[in-house]
Amino acid sequence: MQAEAYSDLPVIDVDCTMPIDSLISLMRDSFARVFGDSLKISVDKDINERNFPSAKSRQRVKRATAFSLLPLCPREEGRREKISSLRVIEKMSRQNRDPADIRDFLYFAIRCPEIAAENTMVVLGSVLVAEIPESEKQAREGFKSVPFFTKRGKRFCLDLLWFKIDWPGGCKFLAKDKEQSAQFLCFSS
């Protein structure tokens, strides 16, 4: 499958000190401008500053310059291919990429809502590890969740889903270049 490049995207400054709630508000405004007020965005209550804290410094640490869609788990006619989160990260690493985090995704969605809204977007660079009661710790290693963004009917949803699932073909994984943290790439499963 051929990579699809988005060459006309703006440079995106990612300020890692901006609180999640502020970014979500900006994303809602951006989507309302593009899609109108009829489409709403729901956000999982656990996607918040407490669970995904902002950086302490006052430095803008990343710039995004280019996006492209690369196949990780192509969707084939009549087949439902799936890929695990660990396999996605492994494939990204072989291509000298790192998974984007929640702030990277939110800035991307603010500046490029049409692209963010195309398919389910998975954000593997931000993992929420839920606290597990002592009585259950031996049975489970920890409940790890990652943010994902999808459209359900007339609503966009920013939710959390279990890290260990197998993602269906067609999901997109936002990634950034390891050597130039300035570059974003959108991997498509």
Side-chain angles (χ1 to χ4, degrees):
M1 185 178 281
Q2 198 70 322
E4 181 183 338
Y6 292 94
S7 57
D8 58 343
L9 295 179
V11 171
I12 301 174
D13 288 333
V14 176
D15 179 356
C16 293
T17 63
M18 184 171 276
I20 291 286
D21 295 340
S22 298
L23 289 170
I24 289 170
S25 179
L26 290 171
M27 181 180 70
R28 283 187 168 124
D29 292 345
S30 177
F31 272 68
R33 278 192 302 278
V34 172
F35 300 108
D37 290 330
S38 62
L39 289 173
K40 301 295 182 197
I41 297 177
S42 66
V43 178
D44 187 290
K45 64 179 176 43
D46 288 324
I47 298 177
N48 57 47
E49 190 66 22
R50 183 175 64 84
N51 292 329
F52 298 101
S54 55
K56 300 297 180 215
S57 76
R58 286 281 164 206
Q59 179 183 17
R60 292 178 189 262
V61 295
K62 301 173 196 165
R63 279 193 162 54
T65 56
F67 294 83
S68 56
L69 292 172
L70 303 175
L72 291 183
C73 180
R75 181 183 290 183
E76 295 179 21
E77 198 68 35
R79 292 183 63 191
R80 298 279 303 160
E81 295 294 324
K82 294 186 175 192
I83 188 167
S84 72
S85 299
L86 291 175
R87 184 88 173 111
V88 169
I89 293 170
E90 179 184 299
K91 284 186 170 194
M92 285 181 185
S93 184
R94 274 194 250 126
Q95 296 181 27
N96 209 28
R97 312 278 191 271
D98 283 324
D101 65 29
I102 186 68
R103 280 176 179 75
D104 296 329
F105 167 75
L106 288 169
Y107 273 99
F108 176 81
I110 290 164
R111 295 295 300 273
C112 308
E114 298 93 343
I115 296 170
E118 282 181 357
N119 278 311
T120 298
M121 304 233 2
V122 183
V123 184
L124 294 176
S126 289
V127 179
L128 174 63
V129 181
E131 293 183 24
I132 297 175
E134 276 298 318
S135 61
E136 296 179 31
K137 282 193 176 179
Q138 287 182 340
R140 298 192 285 170
E141 297 174 17
F143 186 79
K144 297 178 182 178
S145 298
V146 293
F148 75 103
F149 186 76
T150 192
K151 184 176 179 188
R152 293 187 186 130
K154 292 187 174 190
R155 177 176 292 278
F156 290 100
C157 301
L158 181 57
D159 288 322
L160 292 168
L161 201 56
W162 198 20
F163 179 83
K164 288 188 175 186
I165 71 161
D166 288 337
W167 300 99
C171 287
K172 295 177 184 170
F173 301 89
L174 196 60
K176 53 193 174 189
D177 191 73
K178 281 184 181 183
E179 292 178 13
Q180 294 178 314
S181 62
Q183 187 176 33
F184 278 85
L185 298 158
C186 193
F187 285 84
S188 180
S189 69

